[in-house]
Amino acid sequence: MRIIVPLQGLLQGRSGLALGVIIPLLSFYFIQLRPKRSQQQHRLNTTPAAEELPPPAAPAVTLKKEPLLHDHHLLSPQHSEEASSSSTTTIVQEATISERALWILRSCSSEWTAVPENAYDEMHNPTGCIQLAVPINKLSLDLIQDWLCNHLSNTPGHETFLNLEEVADYEFLGGLQRVRTVLANFMGIVIGGGKRVMFDPANVIITAGLSAAIEMLVFCLAQPGDAILIPTPYDSRFDKDIKWRTQVEIIPVPCYAHDNFSVTRGNLETAYHSALQRGMTVRAVLLSTPSYPVGNVLDRATLQSILSFTHENSIHLISDEVYAGCVFEDSDFVSVAEILESSECDRSRVHIIYGLSKDLGVVGFQVGVLYSWNMQVIAAASKLTRFCGTSSHTQGILAPLLADESFIKTFLTKNHCRITQRHRKVVTALDAVGIKFAKSSGGLFCWIFLGHCLRSSSQEEETRLCRYVSEEMGVHLTPGSSSCSCPEPGWFSLCFAGVDDQTLNIALQRLQKLAPGVQY
Amino acid sequence: MRIIVPLQGLLQGRSGLALGVIIPLLSFYFIQLRPKRSQQQHRLNTTPAAEELPPPAAPAVTLKKEPLLHDHHLLSPQHSEEASSSSTTTIVQEATISERALWILRSCSSEWTAVPENAYDEMHNPTGCIQLAVPINKLSLDLIQDWLCNHLSNTPGHETFLNLEEVADYEFLGGLQRVRTVLANFMGIVIGGGKRVMFDPANVIITAGLSAAIEMLVFCLAQPGDAILIPTPYDSRFDKDIKWRTQVEIIPVPCYAHDNFSVTRGNLETAYHSALQRGMTVRAVLLSTPSYPVGNVLDRATLQSILSFTHENSIHLISDEVYAGCVFEDSDFVSVAEILESSECDRSRVHIIYGLSKDLGVVGFQVGVLYSWNMQVIAAASKLTRFCGTSSHTQGILAPLLADESFIKTFLTKNHCRITQRHRKVVTALDAVGIKFAKSSGGLFCWIFLGHCLRSSSQEEETRLCRYVSEEMGVHLTPGSSSCSCPEPGWFSLCFAGVDDQTLNIALQRLQKLAPGVQY
């Protein structure tokens, strides 16, 4: 501007009109069109999801025979076409994958690997690293194994593991009808508080694992760019399941140590209104009870107040109840389904995520469950199960086990007892050396505080400590702020249900060096 | 700038300059700014996927307790916020699902249902409808059943169906390592022409069924809006697997009856260049061999020429070889893997889709396979298998069966023989009454022509005939133009491998009425 105006003054002598036209047009070109063009150029190379990425590098055009498989060059559409139209030349471009796939790879590249290479083994690698970072449940697997051994046979005519009848057809992929019926009844026992609430098989969709159920539900509730509120700390799986392909945003709702990381209607309201002010479209609140990594179990009053909040604001409530069968003996689990029974709230905005991977410990069976009162969600999800059906053979094996109510009740009692004992063992050991931990009422894990071992209160320092504990002390924990979006660095998740007693003892011994006042 | 420059001109008393400035600025506003504004407005109301949809209806704001679950009202972001901020009122909006989920439901609403309610049953419903529309293979399931009965037991210590060791851990979801090894070897036998070509377990990803493998691969190769060329007629599954969530376009490459629906490099080139001219970004060609619904098996020369075409144009080649083990006895199957062995082409742009649902008939086992020479695709797909893992229990049962080479060879020989006999039975019956059919070399189906029964050559008329044959004549076929994107109406797919001999005889008898010259 400052240049153009004086220039204009100088030049307007004779051909004022001509210059008056040319100058603003030129200025317009340089000020408006050029930036826009380069923006368009940039936009061609990016998608909404990819905008978080650094701008793509120029494509490499090389004469080659063997592909460089690990290159990260991106192929822009123009270049693709240029190369394509010269179909007689042998100059080809290196194969690339899509930007969205690259983005997923990049987002994993800084991931703290959950399976250390130097795994502990009592016999073969007694100084190896003990894996306490993954929330798995091996405490009651023997009960499942025994039941299957005693009840299934390969004798034709019996309840058998070999009936291939159900395997040959394209049956309803969202779960065999008979298995959905059995599963609904099972849910009534486990999450319905011993059938205080009943579940309807028509509202059940079975998916290949929990992630598929979450992804599918979020796809059905939100458009790309819409947001979901999740109280922190939360399971890093949500970042993958919700953002990766479905491109929905997560708005973390900060909860803090002074409150034992409890979520309240107040927390949610603040985060919600702040999101609206930023112009976001919030579609749902996602709650976990018992929560990972803390182990908080939501009580009736809290659930009721949050349900009212979502109802009044016409947003969805997703209740992740995948650890429902893992509460400690002296605690009482309440499902959102039970609150809904005595509520005036709109059921079609309430959905439960469940699965057998935690309560039964059968991760590999790949049985996730979406339970929704919204029949449009059920209809759309049924269509989407073409991408994530659970083996009907596995369903067939599980059906009689889940239907055996007497076994299920015994199993749950024993599972509660074993989990409680494990938790007690861990907190007793931590208490003995003065390591702090969050209060919890359920789950396969303990949320411990090692902030006193950090040189400064930062995520980087937490990651350093986590790596040190893994590599130098031989215990693999989950770092809270980098893996669970915890707003306060220094918290770690210790999963106590994936190893045997002896191994857990060794891990707890190793961790003693992290006690306050001890030089680790 | 826009305001100051004209003002300056005016103040200096030179009207020429003033007009010279005002005119281009006004033109600029009307030519550039106004359309851009309305574009932005439009963009706010749509997403890339939603652009094919009708504009969203205004949301219904009603005072209600019970949700109307089947309403199709869409909630626009603005209205959602309006309702949200009035958090004290009890006026809530009806729950809605996302536009993209609604779009999927709508795209299915006109679908010709594959499972008629009035299903044929020899004993209980002998006049019911015989299902010949779904390409399933029940011809050799007895062999699988026998093998499992004879080789697996529930005795601890034996190869057992009850080993839960692998079930408890979050192992690599893209397939247990040992199963991927066994599967790669199995692929060498079935699609590698008896190990003329070997497959590397490191390039194998196991997914929960075929659709998951296709969706995942396309996600890794293309951005939303990019396109894939597929010769017609093609399996309607591609429309779902490629478009629904991944939002990649399909460009049908028309192939015609006079050529027995054969695809050539020429067909592909024409479609490819026409797509480029329309400004599309073509990322891949998807070929099926043997093809559904025709049953064409691509020979070496054709595969070589198409591979050269994709190589020269730097696009990917996806080879769907899911019916590789279903070729007829006198035919020879050639995998793109074999062509690649003796080719200079870039392997990182070649990918094979496989699975056990057709060759072994075990649909419900949910074992799809993505085989790729591109290790970036393998890396990204491994991450994505969190959404579509196959039950590790099912993998465990399949592993020893797939590893039994002697059984597999016997199985394949018998399977080829039984499929060939079935096909011969069908074409003999059709020949006898003069119903035309396409020449085929493999598959579980016959592509028959009933154009003489159409009152006019249109898709609507074809659908009417399909419905008539199903409802009035009791045989359920797949209509070619509406379900398989066939460019010529009147073709139908008849799947002969999902019913027993007796039932197939009855179906063929019923179809005699459709012979040319007979009044149906």
Side-chain angles (χ1 to χ4, degrees):
Chain A
M1 239 297 289
R2 283 180 208 126
I3 302 166
I4 295 162
V5 176
L7 267 179
Q8 201 169 7
L10 275 176
L11 291 169
Q12 64 191 196
R14 273 165 258 162
S15 44
L17 181 61
L19 285 171
V21 171
I22 290 163
I23 291 169
L25 281 177
L26 276 177
S27 345
F28 162 64
Y29 174 79
F30 282 103
I31 292 165
Q32 293 281 327
L33 280 186
R34 285 231 351 200
K36 209 166 66 179
R37 273 201 181 179
S38 58
Q39 258 176 27
Q40 275 172 345
Q41 190 68 26
H42 179 69
R43 206 172 296 148
L44 279 172
N45 297 328
T46 54
T47 61
E51 275 168 7
E52 295 166 52
L53 296 173
V61 182
T62 46
L63 183 67
K64 61 190 286 298
K65 285 180 186 175
E66 281 305 302
L68 292 178
L69 295 176
H70 299 279
D71 71 303
H72 278 239
H73 296 298
L74 297 178
L75 194 63
S76 73
Q78 297 94 315
H79 280 88
S80 163
E81 285 174 27
E82 273 165 33
S84 308
S85 42
S86 64
S87 61
T88 48
T89 168
T90 52
I91 297 178
V92 294
Q93 294 177 324
E94 286 165 10
T96 53
I97 64 173
S98 62
E99 288 164 41
R100 51 187 171 181
L102 273 179
W103 178 76
I104 289 174
L105 280 182
R106 284 195 198 117
S107 79
C108 294
S109 64
S110 62
E111 209 172 41
W112 178 238
T113 170
V115 184
E117 280 170 20
N118 172 34
Y120 171 85
D121 183 279
E122 189 185 352
M123 291 286 286
H124 306 294
N125 191 17
T127 60
C129 186
I130 298 172
Q131 174 60 278
L132 302 186
V134 188
I136 51 178
N137 181 10
K138 290 190 179 179
L139 298 184
S140 307
L141 216 56
D142 59 317
L143 306 176
I144 309 273
Q145 175 100 35
D146 286 350
W147 191 95
L148 290 174
C149 271
N150 294 333
H151 291 78
L152 299 187
S153 80
N154 55 358
T155 319
H158 285 76
E159 194 76 71
T160 171
F161 73 101
L162 287 174
N163 182 359
L164 293 190
E165 282 295 305
E166 286 172 331
V167 163
D169 281 305
Y170 283 93
E171 260 230 48
F172 178 61
L173 284 175
L176 299 172
Q177 186 55 50
R178 65 184 184 94
V179 182
R180 287 159 61 223
T181 303
V182 162
L183 198 54
N185 190 60
F186 171 81
M187 286 172 73
I189 300 172
V190 184
I191 72 179
K195 298 200 184 177
R196 285 196 303 257
V197 200
M198 296 300 291
F199 291 85
D200 186 341
N203 300 19
V204 169
I205 297 277
I206 302 176
T207 61
L210 204 56
S211 289
I214 297 167
E215 184 187 54
M216 210 163 68
L217 175 61
V218 171
F219 181 94
C220 290
L221 300 183
Q223 289 293 112
D226 288 355
I228 292 184
L229 298 171
I230 308 185
T232 66
Y234 65 77
D235 196 333
S236 63
R237 78 173 315 140
F238 294 135
D239 286 319
K240 298 169 182 173
D241 299 348
I242 293 174
K243 293 178 184 173
W244 273 9
R245 290 202 295 193
T246 304
Q247 291 184 24
V248 168
E249 300 296 323
I250 291 178
I251 299 175
V253 180
C255 302
Y256 297 96
H258 65 81
D259 252 355
N260 203 63
F261 302 97
S262 303
V263 61
T264 61
R265 177 173 170 144
N267 299 140
L268 289 169
E269 270 183 342
T270 308
Y272 177 67
H273 290 294
S274 148
L276 291 194
Q277 274 167 9
R278 296 198 304 278
M280 303 192 77
T281 302
V282 177
R283 293 290 285 166
V285 167
L286 192 159
L287 292 179
S288 297
T289 177
S291 69
Y292 173 86
V294 179
N296 280 328
V297 175
L298 297 178
D299 59 24
R300 281 185 173 73
T302 307
L303 271 174
Q304 179 61 64
S305 70
I306 295 175
L307 182 61
S308 302
F309 165 71
T310 56
H311 177 73
E312 287 161 17
N313 291 289
S314 299
I315 60 177
H316 294 265
L317 177 58
I318 304 170
S319 186
D320 160 23
E321 305 187 357
V322 75
Y323 292 104
C326 299
V327 289
F328 305 149
E329 277 177 325
D330 51 357
S331 300
D332 187 27
F333 172 78
V334 185
S335 168
V336 74
E338 198 173 330
I339 306 300
L340 212 52
E341 289 265 296
S342 57
S343 150
E344 299 274 290
C345 291
D346 177 3
R347 292 170 174 233
S348 68
R349 282 202 178 81
V350 184
H351 321 271
I352 292 175
I353 293 293
Y354 187 62
L356 302 184
S357 50
K358 309 298 182 183
D359 286 354
L360 263 55
V362 288
V363 176
F365 276 9
Q366 292 286 92
V367 181
V369 177
L370 162 62
Y371 190 90
S372 176
W373 283 268
N374 185 319
M375 297 317 284
Q376 274 196 304
V377 166
I378 293 295
S382 303
K383 301 291 177 192
L384 292 172
T385 51
R386 64 183 291 109
F387 301 117
C388 56
T390 297
S391 161
S392 53
H393 185 251
T394 297
Q395 289 183 51
I397 284 181
L398 278 170
L401 180 140
L402 297 175
D404 184 343
E405 284 196 22
S406 139
F407 168 74
I408 291 300
K409 282 169 187 164
T410 311
F411 175 89
L412 288 173
T413 307
K414 288 191 179 169
N415 197 41
H416 288 312
C417 172
R418 292 176 183 184
I419 290 173
T420 309
Q421 282 172 355
R422 273 294 173 95
H423 177 252
R424 200 171 297 144
K425 177 203 277 270
V426 171
V427 298
T428 306
L430 295 173
D431 258 339
V433 296
I435 295 177
K436 282 202 297 179
F437 52 89
K439 195 172 157 293
S440 65
S441 310
L444 307 167
F445 29 76
C446 188
W447 184 232
I448 68 176
F449 184 66
L450 301 174
H452 52 271
C453 301
L454 302 184
R455 295 170 197 153
S456 66
S457 181
S458 71
Q459 187 173 312
E460 294 67 35
E461 188 44 24
E462 184 191 272
T463 305
R464 184 205 55 82
L465 178 64
C466 191
R467 203 176 286 270
Y468 179 85
V469 173
S470 174
E471 288 167 6
E472 303 299 324
M473 296 173 61
V475 183
H476 198 58
L477 303 172
T478 302
S481 61
S482 59
S483 283
C484 306
S485 304
C486 183
E488 296 165 290
W491 290 88
F492 291 81
S493 174
L494 177 160
C495 298
F496 52 69
V499 292
D500 60 32
D501 254 315
Q502 176 64 15
T503 308
L504 183 61
N505 288 339
I506 297 170
L508 291 171
Q509 251 171 6
R510 291 179 180 179
L511 290 178
Q512 283 179 0
K513 290 182 209 150
L514 294 171
V518 179
Q519 187 63 39
Y520 71 87
Chain B
M1 232 296 285
R2 284 173 214 134
I3 302 163
I4 295 164
V5 176
L7 270 178
Q8 199 169 6
L10 275 177
L11 285 172
Q12 287 168 355
R14 298 291 186 126
S15 55
L17 178 62
L19 282 173
V21 171
I22 289 163
I23 291 167
L25 283 175
L26 277 177
S27 342
F28 162 64
Y29 176 78
F30 281 103
I31 293 165
Q32 293 280 328
L33 281 184
R34 287 239 343 209
K36 208 166 67 181
R37 274 198 181 181
S38 59
Q39 258 177 27
Q40 276 172 345
Q41 193 63 30
H42 178 68
R43 208 172 295 149
L44 278 173
N45 297 328
T46 54
T47 62
E51 274 169 10
E52 293 165 55
L53 296 172
V61 182
T62 45
L63 184 67
K64 60 190 283 298
K65 286 181 183 172
E66 282 305 301
L68 292 177
L69 296 175
H70 299 279
D71 71 303
H72 278 240
H73 297 297
L74 297 178
L75 196 62
S76 74
Q78 296 95 319
H79 281 88
S80 162
E81 283 174 30
E82 272 166 32
S84 309
S85 42
S86 63
S87 60
T88 48
T89 168
T90 52
I91 296 178
V92 293
Q93 294 176 323
E94 287 165 8
T96 53
I97 64 172
S98 63
E99 287 164 46
R100 50 186 172 181
L102 273 178
W103 177 77
I104 289 173
L105 280 182
R106 284 197 199 114
S107 79
C108 293
S109 64
S110 62
E111 211 172 38
W112 178 239
T113 170
V115 184
E117 280 169 20
N118 172 35
Y120 171 83
D121 183 279
E122 189 185 354
M123 290 286 286
H124 306 294
N125 191 18
T127 59
C129 186
I130 298 172
Q131 174 60 279
L132 302 185
V134 188
I136 51 178
N137 180 10
K138 290 190 179 179
L139 298 184
S140 308
L141 216 57
D142 59 316
L143 306 175
I144 310 273
Q145 175 98 38
D146 287 350
W147 191 96
L148 291 174
C149 270
N150 294 333
H151 291 78
L152 298 187
S153 80
N154 55 359
T155 318
H158 285 76
E159 194 75 73
T160 171
F161 73 102
L162 287 174
N163 182 359
L164 293 191
E165 282 296 305
E166 287 172 330
V167 164
D169 281 305
Y170 282 93
E171 260 231 46
F172 178 61
L173 284 175
L176 300 172
Q177 186 57 50
R178 67 185 184 93
V179 182
R180 286 159 60 225
T181 303
V182 162
L183 198 54
N185 190 61
F186 171 80
M187 285 172 72
I189 300 171
V190 184
I191 72 180
K195 298 200 183 177
R196 284 195 305 255
V197 199
M198 296 300 289
F199 291 85
D200 186 341
N203 300 18
V204 170
I205 297 276
I206 302 176
T207 60
L210 204 56
S211 289
I214 297 168
E215 185 187 53
M216 211 163 69
L217 175 61
V218 171
F219 181 93
C220 291
L221 300 184
Q223 290 293 111
D226 289 355
I228 292 184
L229 298 171
I230 308 184
T232 67
Y234 65 76
D235 196 333
S236 64
R237 77 174 317 139
F238 294 134
D239 287 319
K240 299 169 182 174
D241 299 348
I242 293 175
K243 293 179 185 173
W244 274 10
R245 291 203 294 194
T246 304
Q247 291 185 26
V248 169
E249 301 295 323
I250 291 177
I251 299 175
V253 180
C255 301
Y256 296 97
H258 64 80
D259 253 353
N260 204 62
F261 302 97
S262 303
V263 61
T264 62
R265 176 173 172 144
N267 300 140
L268 289 168
E269 270 183 342
T270 308
Y272 177 67
H273 290 295
S274 148
L276 291 193
Q277 273 166 10
R278 294 198 306 278
M280 303 193 77
T281 301
V282 177
R283 293 290 285 168
V285 167
L286 192 159
L287 292 179
S288 297
T289 177
S291 68
Y292 173 86
V294 179
N296 279 328
V297 174
L298 296 179
D299 58 27
R300 282 185 171 74
T302 308
L303 271 174
Q304 179 61 65
S305 70
I306 295 175
L307 182 61
S308 303
F309 165 72
T310 56
H311 176 73
E312 286 161 17
N313 290 288
S314 298
I315 59 177
H316 293 266
L317 177 58
I318 304 171
S319 186
D320 160 23
E321 305 186 357
V322 75
Y323 291 104
C326 299
V327 289
F328 304 149
E329 277 177 325
D330 50 357
S331 301
D332 188 27
F333 173 78
V334 185
S335 168
V336 73
E338 197 173 331
I339 305 299
L340 212 52
E341 288 265 296
S342 57
S343 151
E344 299 274 291
C345 292
D346 178 3
R347 292 172 174 233
S348 68
R349 282 202 177 82
V350 184
H351 322 270
I352 291 175
I353 293 293
Y354 187 62
L356 302 182
S357 50
K358 309 299 183 182
D359 286 353
L360 262 56
V362 288
V363 176
F365 276 10
Q366 292 285 92
V367 181
V369 177
L370 163 61
Y371 190 91
S372 176
W373 282 268
N374 185 319
M375 297 317 283
Q376 273 196 303
V377 166
I378 293 294
S382 302
K383 301 291 178 191
L384 292 172
T385 51
R386 63 184 290 108
F387 302 117
C388 56
T390 296
S391 161
S392 54
H393 185 251
T394 297
Q395 289 183 52
I397 284 182
L398 278 171
L401 180 140
L402 296 175
D404 184 343
E405 284 197 22
S406 138
F407 167 75
I408 291 300
K409 283 170 187 163
T410 311
F411 174 88
L412 288 173
T413 308
K414 288 191 180 171
N415 198 40
H416 287 312
C417 171
R418 291 176 183 185
I419 290 173
T420 309
Q421 280 172 356
R422 273 293 173 96
H423 178 253
R424 199 170 298 145
K425 176 203 278 269
V426 171
V427 297
T428 306
L430 294 173
D431 258 339
V433 296
I435 295 177
K436 282 202 296 179
F437 52 87
K439 197 173 156 291
S440 66
S441 310
L444 307 167
F445 30 75
C446 188
W447 185 233
I448 67 175
F449 184 66
L450 301 175
H452 52 272
C453 301
L454 302 184
R455 294 170 197 152
S456 65
S457 182
S458 70
Q459 187 172 310
E460 293 67 35
E461 190 39 29
E462 184 191 272
T463 305
R464 184 204 56 81
L465 179 63
C466 191
R467 204 175 284 270
Y468 179 85
V469 173
S470 174
E471 288 167 5
E472 303 299 324
M473 298 173 59
V475 182
H476 199 58
L477 303 172
T478 301
S481 60
S482 59
S483 284
C484 306
S485 304
C486 183
E488 296 164 291
W491 290 87
F492 291 81
S493 173
L494 178 161
C495 298
F496 51 69
V499 291
D500 59 31
D501 253 317
Q502 176 64 15
T503 308
L504 183 61
N505 288 340
I506 296 170
L508 291 171
Q509 249 171 4
R510 290 179 180 179
L511 290 178
Q512 283 180 359
K513 288 181 209 149
L514 295 171
V518 178
Q519 188 63 40
Y520 69 89

